[in-house]
Amino acid sequence: MAFFALSRIQPLALLSATDLAAGYDRLLEENRHLRRAVTSHAVIDQAIGAVVTLGQIAPEEAWRALRDVSQRTNVKLRTVAEHVLGYVQGGTLPEPERLELAKAIVRYRRCGGQPAPLGDDLPAPAGDAGEGGGAAAPTGHRPGPARPASAGERGTAEPRR
C-alpha cells in the first residue's frame, strides 16, 4: 500500500513515503544546524561583551575586533569567542589570538576617536600605562582599560577609513 501526501511547496505534486522520510531527515538536520547557530551566537555575544569590557571599546568595535582575530589567525569565530570567554574567566588565550586581539583593540580604540598612544604594530609593554591607561601587553597580561573619554572628546570620532 502506498502513502501519498500533498506538498506545501508544490500543491499539485504528491509526495511518497520515501519523499516524506527524506524531507523529515532534511528538517532534522536543519534543526541541528539552527540549534548550533543559536548556541554559537550566544557565545559570540558574550565574547563581544568581554572585549567591550577589556578594551573599553564600543560593542560594534568589539565585534570587529573578534572578527579580525578570527580572520588573521585562521580560527573560527566561535572558537575565538570561546577562547576569549575562557580568558576572562582566568584561563589563557592562545598566543596568536592574544596578540591579534591586543592589536585589534588598539586599532579600534583609535577608530573610536580615543587617542592611541601605542605603536601601529605592537601593544604597549606591560607596566607602560602611557596616556591610554595600558592596552593588551605582549607578555601575557590582560588588556587593561582605556582612558575614559572626557565630555569634550565624546562624539568627535574621526571618519572611518
Side-chain angles (χ1 to χ4, degrees), residues 42-101:
V43 169
I44 292 166
D45 283 346
Q46 291 171 17
I48 288 171
V51 173
V52 165
T53 302
L54 286 173
Q56 297 296 302
I57 57 179
E60 298 82 23
E61 307 301 339
W63 156 249
R64 289 182 185 108
L66 283 175
R67 186 190 60 204
D68 287 358
V69 170
S70 173
Q71 290 174 344
R72 292 169 188 244
T73 60
N74 199 26
V75 176
K76 288 186 177 186
L77 182 62
R78 177 195 168 113
T79 304
V80 169
E82 289 171 346
H83 292 164
V84 167
L85 289 178
Y87 178 64
V88 297
Q89 294 172 357
T92 60
L93 191 59
E95 186 74 10
E97 292 174 33
R98 190 178 53 71
L99 290 174
E100 286 302 327
L101 181 60

